[in-house]
Amino acid sequence: MAKEMTLLWGSGSPPCWRVMIVLEEKNLKGYNQKLLSFEKGEHKSSQVMEMNPRGQLPAFKHNNHVLNESYAACFYLESQYQSQGNKLIPECPAEKAMMYQRMFEANTLGQKMADVIYYNWKVPEAERHDSALKRNKEALTAEIKLWEGYMQKASGPFVAGKNFSLADVMVFPSVAYLYRFGFCEERYPKLAAYYNSLKDRSSIKTSWPPTWLESPTQDLLKDI
């Protein structure tokens, strides 16, 4: 069944990583995959554009079903293979409700993180302002404090409680991205504990971005 799947992905991309984590959690081994380079513009190649006309990664296909949004692909895989591998949607209504809430909140964390990390890349030099970067950093700091509070009040070690779920699939790659860019571990002990408890989970460790293993971390977020 995995042989009927194709994943085009880029290293370090949280959306790509989410799909890979779910594939591992559902024991879907041996799928067709191709690592592409964002730096070389390979996400705009004809192979990608045929699957995803937005020219973005991931590009995921199962038989004739194309799902290029990471949330859609992850929901699809969990729905199709509910009885295989680890169950990623909790049975408990309270945990399920929390899972849905936190997993969609992960989009806000990712966006505020990107606003800081990619400011110089996205904004032309003539249009950059220190005040805008300061404002983006303040917004990201407030967002991270919110997540630190969530983890402090959590009923278990995971985002939605006592079970690893789709919420963790969505949230962990962004948390790992924070650490990749020099996030201060001592300042947010609950998020640090969450990160350290999951980074060696089999599905996460197996799919860890290869470029992160080859290059040092950056210090862009050291003052967040």
Side-chain angles (χ1 to χ4, degrees):
M1 77 193 99
K3 292 181 180 179
E4 300 165 344
M5 299 176 183
T6 298
L7 176 67
L8 307 180
W9 60 287
S11 179
S13 160
C16 295
W17 198 0
R18 293 166 183 161
V19 180
M20 298 176 80
I21 291 171
V22 171
L23 287 164
E24 290 294 328
E25 290 285 336
K26 305 310 288 185
N27 292 329
L28 293 165
K29 310 284 187 181
Y31 57 92
N32 302 299
Q33 60 169 298
K34 186 174 183 180
L35 172 60
L36 301 175
S37 170
F38 291 110
E39 290 75 15
K40 296 178 181 178
E42 292 176 346
H43 57 298
K44 302 296 184 181
S45 67
S46 59
Q47 184 181 16
V48 175
M49 297 299 287
E50 287 175 7
M51 287 174 61
N52 188 350
R54 293 183 183 277
Q56 298 172 341
L57 299 176
F60 178 74
K61 185 176 183 179
H62 179 212
N63 293 320
N64 294 321
H65 311 308
V66 176
L67 300 104
N68 296 318
E69 291 294 329
S70 61
Y71 276 56
C74 291
F75 269 123
Y76 172 81
L77 290 168
E78 173 60 20
S79 176
Q80 288 295 108
Y81 303 100
Q82 293 181 48
S83 60
Q84 181 169 318
N86 296 318
K87 189 174 180 61
L88 298 176
I89 297 180
E91 296 282 357
C92 170
E95 280 198 38
K96 186 182 293 187
M98 183 63 73
M99 181 208 76
Y100 282 119
Q101 177 63 33
R102 294 291 182 257
M103 68 182 292
F104 283 98
E105 280 189 272
N107 279 324
T108 303
L109 173 61
Q111 183 57 59
K112 291 185 178 181
M113 182 174 65
D115 287 343
V116 174
I117 294 174
Y118 298 121
Y119 182 77
N120 286 345
W121 176 58
K122 288 183 175 181
V123 180
E125 186 173 0
E127 299 176 19
R128 295 174 199 160
H129 298 282
D130 290 343
S131 59
L133 182 57
K134 179 177 180 290
R135 185 168 61 250
N136 289 342
K137 285 187 173 182
E138 288 173 349
L140 177 58
T141 299
E143 181 70 18
I144 291 170
K145 287 180 178 178
L146 193 64
W147 285 93
E148 177 73 6
Y150 287 164
M151 295 311 302
Q152 188 170 9
K153 297 174 183 177
S155 59
F158 303 107
V159 169
K162 61 184 179 181
N163 297 300
F164 183 87
S165 71
L166 284 178
D168 299 288
V169 172
M170 304 307 168
V171 172
F172 180 84
S174 291
V175 173
Y177 215 74
L178 292 173
Y179 284 96
R180 170 68 181 167
F181 282 87
F183 184 59
C184 179
E185 189 166 327
E186 293 77 16
R187 199 170 291 143
Y188 305 97
K190 294 299 181 182
L191 279 174
Y194 173 74
Y195 171 75
N196 288 316
S197 70
L198 279 185
K199 67 181 181 180
D200 290 324
R201 186 180 176 89
S202 179
S203 63
I204 290 172
K205 191 172 183 178
T206 300
S207 57
W208 198 266
T211 51
W212 292 10
L213 300 173
E214 300 163 0
S215 59
T217 58
Q218 302 179 38
D219 62 0
L220 190 61
L221 302 180
K222 66 180 180 180
D223 57 343
I224 295 294

